[in-house]
Amino acid sequence: MTTLNRLLGATAVAIWLGAASAAAQEATPDPGRIDVIIVNAQQRDENLQDVPISVAALTEDKLDALFTGGEDVLALATRVPGLYAESSNGRAAPRFYIRGLGNTDFDLAASQPVSVIMDDVVMENVTLKSTPIFDLDQVEVYRGPQGTLFGRNTTAGIVRFRSARPTDDFEARASASYGSYGSASFDGGVGGALIDGLLSGRASLLVQHRDDWIDDANRPGDDNLGGHDELAGRVQLLFTPSDQLDVLLNVHGRDLDGTSAVFRANVLTPGSNGLNGNYDRERVYYDQGGGNNQEYKGWGTSANVSYDFGGMTLTSISAYETNEGFSRGDIDGGACAPLGSAVPAGLTSGATDCFFPFSGVNDAVTYPGFLPFASDTQDSIDDLKQATQEFRLASDTSGPLSWQGGLYYFDSSFQVTTVGPSGFPPAATLEHENTSWAVYGQASYAFTDRFTATGGLRYTDDEKRLSVLANAAQNREISDDHVSWELSGIYDLAPQFSVYGRIADGFRGPSIQGRDVAFFADPSLARSETILSLEAGWKSTLASDRLRLNGAVYTYTVEDLQLTAVGGAANTVQLVNADEGEAYGFELDAEFVPVENLILTGGFSYTHSELKDAGLAVGICAQCTVTDSTVVLGGVRRALIDGNPFPNAPEIIADVTARYSVPVGADGEFFAFTDWAYQGETNLFLYQSMEFMTDDQFEGGLKLGYARTDGSWEAAIFARNITDEDNIKGGIDFNNNTAFVNEPRIIGVSLKASL
């Protein structure tokens, strides 16, 4: 059966099931109702149910539960069907994946096919994607290519954050928590009119702290890793001198001081993907890393100006972002000690020549397990400057025709410095520059009250430059242009049941990877990748507005798929293009209020992805069991990856939440809220091995408390990762079978109030 036949067959079944549910939905009216969700997926505020795109939205209540323990943006992983995220850079540079498509590159200059947008401003660099999220109204996830309205590097989709905006009415809300390991968090915002009818403002603040809780047994004292301090703030001013003109000014900043990723040496036994006896969540054994410190600081500002001419609105969004910081780590995750040194009880060990320069003589004992050599690396980003400007002209939506078009400009520059183990190789500093511009347009036409069609085009020009400060001969430039397009239609089969179809083209600009310059290799380049995606789905509100059930099936093909061959025994980071990548799957999003005091949500996605390039071979791990066919090229054994799944593309993602309340008096309630997420089998690298293919994983949370029914305040006890699961989230394969894991269990108390 072809992929298209699978898509058509699944679509027919989905529509039949949804239509049958709509026809049978006559139910006794109940005061419990699902809320209407407004999203901005087409650069207009619209009901989620009217948008011909697969969209998921996380609203305030669910976000509050997810981040109660002081988690960062990675807490969103697997909490939306089709969405995954991970990072080997601690809290500084997350990597997002949607429908299996992402980028495993850990370099600070890496490009990503998932765009992160914060308050209408793209956060292009990976360190900007870690901008703390606080005082939010909503997180929206747009699945599939979004190249017409949002531009390049959205081939997989978009994660969009919408902060609470100033209003004329006084508003204040705050949440605070304290739990295990001294985890403390405060997230709040206050705002209202400063000059009635003319100027309003809002100030928002995030403060997070966690004590060091991981003991580096080779350093004096206890518990010297794992902690962090995060401080972030935002001030917004909304100027409304007339009914036609709105001016929103936004100034924000962050200051992070903490621990970079904690790597754990040889916690995977060759031939097995389960954590072994070398693993101890609260203890590591390092000989380098300088304390695995991480520090990042940045600030940004934007001006969003909107003028209504009557029948059409002109919007200008001007923004500037800056950032700098570093992460240092003991990358091998273990220790080298002079031969004859005692090895801690319970750990495996090895013998090698750990110390630079290599002497060829085994002069050291290593633990946990065998470490070919010590590795201490620091990566820093300096003087990051990103400037963006967008002009958008949009019609109103009063008639059958609505349209919008605009111009977009992007410019960024920054320096990345890599320092190798013990200062060898010498530090390498690279300057990256990127300039891009685009022109776009989109139009929708309501042919009838039940059917609306949409089409759009975007032309993008993208240029990148790499300058190697110590060797101009290694400088590189690459550029490309592309026309992205989309066509969609949505049809109301019934008043509360619609079907839609969408075909979309997307473009990820060319890339330059220069990290290997620090290890005596030339930069690598990757051609642009393009995607063609077909999607069909339905949007339904059933059971007298007590059930929202949305679903989509999709298939896509990526031409010249950009991949990053990370690690391997050769310790390289090289860009490559695969001829093609193909994927198909489906996703479901549901919210249900079966009775007045019970709210259920659930999501499920299945993704089958496959690399298509018969001749593409990549480096492999130093000590693991590769299951792919291999070839020897240039004296190095490499794996043939044709037919492999995309890296970090879980086959299945599922999540459920439930909130049940018991009324107390006229205006109070006791409540219980629980949330659970499941991640299916996931291959961590381009090649397949027994060790770096994770099994099924899950995590859950619980919150019990008392709340006022008007939402004015809440007090609760909570637990995150309540069953204390030890889940592998990534690996380091060049030196040994190293892994890093999920956040620990956090148990605590929380308070929440709003006015």
Side-chain angles (χ1 to χ4, degrees):
M1 180 182 291
T2 67
T3 300
L4 181 58
N5 287 337
R6 292 189 186 99
L7 176 68
L8 294 175
T11 302
V13 171
I15 292 173
W16 180 83
L17 289 173
S21 298
Q25 72 161 314
E26 295 301 326
T28 303
D30 193 293
R33 295 287 188 273
I34 57 173
D35 292 331
V36 172
I37 295 178
I38 303 299
V39 298
N40 200 248
Q42 297 190 113
Q43 298 287 35
R44 303 177 186 272
D45 285 343
E46 300 172 283
N47 188 330
L48 171 69
Q49 303 303 93
D50 297 332
V51 178
I53 300 171
S54 180
V55 179
L58 294 168
T59 52
E60 182 186 350
D61 288 341
K62 188 171 183 179
L63 292 171
D64 180 65
L66 290 179
F67 295 98
T68 298
E71 292 82 355
D72 67 346
V73 71
L74 294 179
L76 297 176
T78 69
R79 300 297 174 165
V80 169
L83 176 67
Y84 183 59
E86 51 83 28
S87 176
S88 57
N89 290 297
R91 297 169 69 92
R95 298 184 285 265
F96 289 95
Y97 307 77
I98 295 178
R99 291 179 172 174
L101 187 57
N103 183 7
T104 59
D105 195 343
F106 58 83
D107 187 61
L108 297 181
S111 73
Q112 300 288 340
V114 177
S115 184
V116 171
I117 296 176
M118 174 69 74
D119 294 333
D120 297 319
V121 178
V122 65
M123 298 292 161
E124 182 66 23
N125 183 266
V126 290
T127 62
L128 294 179
K129 293 181 192 295
S130 69
T131 298
I133 55 176
F134 57 102
D135 196 22
L136 289 180
D137 277 344
Q138 192 160 280
V139 176
E140 300 170 9
V141 179
Y142 310 152
R143 294 174 286 223
Q146 309 295 323
T148 299
L149 291 178
F150 296 94
R152 63 181 187 145
N153 301 348
T154 62
T155 47
I158 292 173
V159 181
R160 188 173 190 174
F161 301 95
R162 303 180 70 181
S163 301
R165 289 168 56 110
T167 65
D168 285 336
D169 297 326
F170 176 78
E171 292 181 351
R173 64 186 186 193
S175 60
S177 65
Y178 183 81
S180 311
Y181 309 115
S183 299
S185 179
F186 173 86
D187 176 351
V190 59
L194 301 176
I195 302 175
D196 287 339
L198 181 63
L199 182 65
S200 58
R202 187 175 186 93
S204 309
L205 179 67
L206 174 72
V207 181
Q208 290 182 328
H209 170 82
R210 179 170 295 168
D211 294 339
D212 286 329
W213 59 279
I214 300 173
D215 181 29
D216 179 354
N218 286 339
R219 290 174 60 193
D222 297 325
D223 298 338
N224 34 41
L225 297 171
H228 64 264
D229 286 285
E230 179 87 74
L231 176 65
R234 179 170 55 246
V235 175
Q236 299 177 85
L237 294 175
L238 179 60
F239 182 54
T240 54
S242 69
D243 292 339
Q244 291 78 35
L245 178 63
D246 291 344
V247 179
L248 178 64
L249 302 178
N250 181 318
V251 179
H252 50 271
R254 77 172 305 187
D255 188 338
L256 169 65
D257 185 357
T259 302
S260 61
V262 176
F263 303 115
R264 301 168 185 273
N266 292 307
V267 293
L268 300 171
T269 301
S272 170
N273 65 352
L275 293 166
N276 60 28
N278 290 326
Y279 172 74
D280 183 339
R281 181 185 278 281
E282 298 188 2
R283 179 170 291 123
V284 294
Y285 303 85
Y286 287 172
D287 61 351
Q288 297 193 66
N292 273 46
N293 295 327
Q294 179 174 80
E295 296 180 13
Y296 274 87
K297 294 182 180 180
W299 68 275
T301 183
S302 66
N304 191 321
V305 182
S306 178
Y307 189 84
D308 185 352
F309 290 96
M312 66 180 68
T313 300
L314 177 64
T315 301
S316 168
I317 303 173
S318 309
Y320 176 81
E321 298 289 335
T322 185
N323 197 22
E324 63 180 15
F326 75 92
S327 296
R328 181 180 175 185
D330 188 317
I331 307 302
D332 59 76
C336 294
L339 207 62
S341 299
V343 175
L347 300 183
T348 61
S349 63
T352 188
D353 169 23
C354 275
F355 306 109
F356 287 95
F358 294 115
S359 66
V361 177
N362 287 348
D363 56 6
V365 61
T366 69
Y367 57 89
F370 173 68
L371 309 176
F373 56 88
S375 181
D376 174 347
T377 305
Q378 177 175 303
D379 289 300
S380 61
I381 192 166
D382 297 297
D383 200 25
L384 185 152
K385 298 175 182 177
Q386 175 188 291
T388 57
Q389 175 63 55
E390 182 172 10
F391 295 104
R392 183 170 64 247
L393 187 65
S395 71
D396 64 25
T397 57
S398 58
L401 175 66
S402 60
W403 53 266
Q404 56 184 306
L407 300 170
Y408 181 79
Y409 179 78
F410 173 94
D411 184 78
S412 76
S413 63
F414 55 89
Q415 291 185 350
V416 174
T417 300
T418 299
V419 181
S422 303
F424 178 84
T429 299
L430 315 176
E431 183 169 14
H432 293 262
E433 299 173 275
N434 183 197
T435 301
S436 181
W437 64 271
V439 56
Y440 65 90
Q442 186 190 73
S444 298
Y445 191 82
F447 288 92
T448 70
D449 291 341
R450 302 174 68 176
F451 176 67
T452 299
T454 300
L457 293 170
R458 186 184 189 107
Y459 172 82
T460 302
D461 182 271
D462 197 28
E463 299 180 3
K464 289 188 172 72
R465 295 166 295 280
L466 171 69
S467 300
V468 181
L469 300 192
N471 184 2
Q474 291 182 303
N475 293 354
R476 298 290 187 271
E477 292 187 12
I478 192 168
S479 63
D480 199 5
D481 55 48
H482 184 75
V483 176
S484 304
W485 55 271
E486 68 173 280
L487 291 170
S488 66
I490 186 165
Y491 182 77
D492 295 336
L493 286 177
Q496 293 181 305
F497 186 88
S498 61
V499 295
Y500 73 91
R502 183 172 186 259
I503 180 170
D505 170 275
F507 164 71
R508 179 178 166 202
S511 296
I512 304 176
Q513 168 58 270
R515 194 173 190 277
D516 276 1
V517 170
F519 300 94
F520 310 112
D522 288 332
S524 57
L525 307 177
R527 301 182 303 276
S528 303
E529 71 179 25
T530 59
I531 185 172
L532 183 64
S533 170
L534 286 80
E535 177 180 323
W538 81 91
K539 306 286 181 81
S540 63
T541 306
L542 310 171
S544 300
D545 294 335
R546 292 189 288 114
L547 170 64
R548 177 171 35 243
L549 180 62
N550 297 340
V553 293
Y554 62 87
T555 182
Y556 64 81
T557 299
V558 185
E559 300 284 350
D560 290 324
L561 174 62
Q562 289 187 29
L563 300 171
T564 307
V566 174
N571 188 26
T572 59
V573 183
Q574 291 286 308
L575 292 175
V576 295
N577 285 99
D579 290 341
E580 286 187 355
E582 294 182 354
Y584 62 83
F586 67 91
E587 56 233 357
L588 296 170
D589 298 279
E591 183 176 1
F592 186 36
V593 185
V595 294
E596 184 176 356
N597 299 316
L598 176 62
I599 302 174
L600 306 173
T601 72
F604 184 91
S605 66
Y606 169 80
T607 300
H608 175 87
S609 61
E610 193 169 335
L611 299 170
K612 296 285 190 178
D613 192 324
L616 185 56
V618 302
I620 58 177
C621 45
Q623 298 184 40
C624 71
T625 310
V626 175
T627 56
D628 293 325
S629 297
T630 61
V631 295
V632 176
L633 298 174
V636 178
R637 191 162 69 101
R638 299 181 182 274
L640 295 168
I641 63 173
D642 182 55
N644 285 359
F646 295 176
N648 279 324
E651 279 195 329
I652 294 174
I653 290 175
D655 70 282
V656 295
T657 73
R659 187 186 191 277
Y660 182 72
S661 60
V662 177
V664 178
D667 51 10
E669 62 179 11
F670 289 111
F671 71 90
F673 178 91
T674 187
D675 61 285
W676 294 84
Y678 169 86
Q679 176 186 336
E681 184 178 75
T682 305
N683 189 42
L684 300 184
F685 298 113
L686 291 174
Y687 61 84
Q688 294 187 99
S689 70
M690 296 181 66
E691 295 79 5
F692 294 114
M693 175 77 77
T694 68
D695 291 330
D696 303 339
Q697 301 178 356
F698 69 91
E699 281 191 36
L702 180 64
K703 193 175 182 181
L704 303 172
Y706 174 84
R708 303 282 287 193
T709 53
D710 62 1
S712 58
W713 65 273
E714 166 192 299
I717 57 174
F718 72 89
R720 303 306 306 163
N721 188 12
I722 188 171
T723 56
D724 203 21
E725 300 299 314
D726 296 294
N727 291 329
I728 297 169
K729 309 313 293 184
I732 304 293
D733 65 342
F734 80 90
N735 190 315
N736 51 52
N737 292 341
T738 290
F740 50 94
V741 300
N742 61 331
E743 291 287 288
R745 175 169 56 197
I746 303 293
I747 299 174
V749 296
S750 66
L751 294 172
K752 181 180 177 182
S754 62
L755 297 173

